[in-house]
C-alpha cells in the first residue's frame, strides 16, 4: 500500500528548542493531518490541512501542506516537556482509508 | 462531549482463542474505523463502518471482523488468535467518513500468549 515516509524517526532536544519533522509520499494526498500520541493513549489530532500550500498554526505548532501535495511538515516552536510523545502524519488514500506515517518520537530534556 | 470509549483497556488471551473489543463513538459521529498499532507495522487500517455497514476494509485476514449497531457503537472480533495479533487496537470516530478528522479512543491492548 501507499507509504507515508516520515522523518526523523526520533529526536532528542533541549527544552526551548524548535523542532521540525516532515512527511513525504510518492502519491498526491488531498488532506494532510498531524496527530500526537502520548504513552498509553490514542492519537490526538493537532492540525488538519486541506489545501496545497496552506500554512496553519495551532499555538506553538505550525504545519504546511506542500505545494506538490506530496509532502507536509510540522514545526514546534519553543518546545516544553509536555511536547514529549510520538507525532504522526496521516492522509486519506484513495478516499478509502487513512494512511499513517511511522511516527517521530520526540524527547524533550528539561 | 464524551470522547471515544473503548473497552476493555487491557486483555490477555491465548493462541486459538477469540476476542471481542467494543467502541462507543462520540455522540453524533456515524463513522467508526478500527486500527491495529504495533511497533513493527505502525498504525494500520482494519475497517470502517458507517450506518451499520462495512464501507471500507484494510488488508487483514478474515479472522478480523467487525460490526456496527444502530446506535453507531461498534465491535471488532478476532478469531483464532495468533501471537502476532498482540497489539494496541484503536477505534476512531468521525462525523461522516474515515478520511477526515478522526477522534481516537485510548485503545484496547491485546496480549496473546
Amino acid at each position: 500500500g501507499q507509504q507515508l515516509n516520515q522523518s526523523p524517526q526520533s529526536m532528542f532536544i533541549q527544552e526551548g528548542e524548535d523542532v521540525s519533522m516532515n512527511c513525504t509520499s510518492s502519491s498526491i494526498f488531498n488532506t494532510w493531518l498531524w496527530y500526537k500520541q502520548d504513552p498509553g493513549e490514542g492519537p490526538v489530532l493537532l492540525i488538519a490541512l486541506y489545501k496545497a500550500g496552506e500554512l496553519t498554526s495551532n499555538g506553538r505548532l505550525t504545519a504546511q501542506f506542500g505545494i506538490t501535495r506530496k509532502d507536509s511538515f510540522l514545526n514546534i516552536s519553543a518546545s516544553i516537556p509536555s511536547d514529549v510523545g510520538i507525532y504522526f502524519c496521516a492522509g486519506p488514500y484513495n478516499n478509502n482509508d487513512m494512511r499513517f506515517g511511522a511516527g517521530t518520537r520526540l524527547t524533550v530534556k528539561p | 462531549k464524551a470522547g471515544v470509549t473503548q473497552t476493555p483497556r487491557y486483555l490477555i488471551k491465548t493462541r486459538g482463542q477469540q476476542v471481542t473489543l467494543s467502541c462507543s463513538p462520540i455522540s453524533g459521529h456515524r463513522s467508526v474505523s478500527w486500527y491495529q498499532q504495533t511497533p513493527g507495522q505502525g498504525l494500520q487500517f482494519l475497517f470502517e463502518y458507517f450506518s451499520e455497514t462495512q464501507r471500507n476494509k484494510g488488508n487483514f485476514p478474515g479472522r478480523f471482523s467487525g460490526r456496527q449497531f444502530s446506535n453507531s457503537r461498534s465491535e471488532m472480533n478476532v478469531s483464532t488468535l495468533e501471537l502476532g495479533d498482540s497489539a494496541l487496537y484503536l477505534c476512531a470516530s468521525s462525523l461522516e467518513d474515515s478520511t477526515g478528522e478522526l477522534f481516537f479512543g485510548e485503545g484496547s491492548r491485546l496480549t496473546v500468549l
Side-chain angles (χ1 to χ4, degrees):
Chain A
Q2 177 55 46
Q3 300 293 328
L4 294 183
N5 302 306
Q6 190 172 348
S7 64
Q9 278 190 321
S10 60
M11 302 183 74
F12 296 82
I13 62 169
Q14 206 71 37
E15 183 178 358
E17 289 183 352
D18 296 345
V19 171
S20 184
M21 60 193 78
N22 69 79
C23 206
T24 62
S25 172
S26 58
S27 292
I28 288 173
F29 280 78
N30 293 317
T31 301
W32 284 95
L33 304 153
W34 285 93
Y35 287 85
K36 181 194 177 200
Q37 187 174 26
D38 291 328
E41 305 286 332
V44 173
L45 181 66
L46 298 173
I47 291 181
L49 302 157
Y50 297 102
K51 189 176 173 183
E54 179 183 355
L55 185 72
T56 298
S57 293
N58 178 8
R60 294 177 297 106
L61 276 60
T62 301
Q64 183 156 29
F65 192 142
I67 199 72
T68 65
R69 292 197 281 159
K70 292 183 179 181
D71 63 335
S72 176
F73 72 75
L74 175 70
N75 285 345
I76 305 173
S77 63
S79 58
I80 59 178
S82 62
D83 289 335
V84 164
I86 304 177
Y87 292 80
F88 294 97
C89 60
Y93 181 66
N94 276 348
N95 291 323
N96 280 339
D97 62 273
M98 191 69 74
R99 298 295 171 97
F100 286 81
T104 294
R105 184 180 294 273
L106 178 64
T107 301
V108 180
K109 291 180 272 189
Chain B
K1 199 176 196 182
V4 177
T5 304
Q6 289 188 246
T7 56
R9 289 291 311 276
Y10 304 92
L11 66 168
I12 299 174
K13 294 284 186 178
T14 56
R15 279 182 299 176
Q17 287 187 311
Q18 72 161 7
V19 66
T20 299
L21 309 177
S22 179
C23 173
S24 293
I26 292 172
S27 177
H29 284 194
R30 300 166 68 191
S31 169
V32 174
S33 49
W34 289 88
Y35 292 82
Q36 182 195 64
Q37 186 176 31
T38 60
Q41 299 297 319
L43 273 156
Q44 292 188 289
F45 173 73
L46 281 157
F47 28 64
E48 184 227 356
Y49 286 86
F50 181 87
S51 291
E52 303 177 65
T53 301
Q54 186 182 88
R55 191 159 62 172
N56 295 302
K57 190 176 190 304
N59 190 26
F60 278 81
R63 299 186 296 107
F64 293 81
S65 63
R67 59 178 176 168
Q68 187 180 34
F69 302 94
S70 58
N71 61 359
S72 293
R73 191 176 71 84
S74 177
E75 289 180 347
M76 68 162 282
N77 184 276
V78 188
S79 62
T80 320
L81 284 166
E82 301 176 0
L83 296 179
D85 296 333
S86 295
L88 180 67
Y89 290 88
L90 291 160
C91 166
S93 78
S94 60
L95 277 171
E96 290 293 327
D97 63 54
S98 64
T99 60
E101 299 176 19
L102 302 177
F103 295 85
F104 285 87
E106 293 178 314
S108 294
R109 183 163 295 281
L110 170 66
T111 301
V112 182
L113 302 176

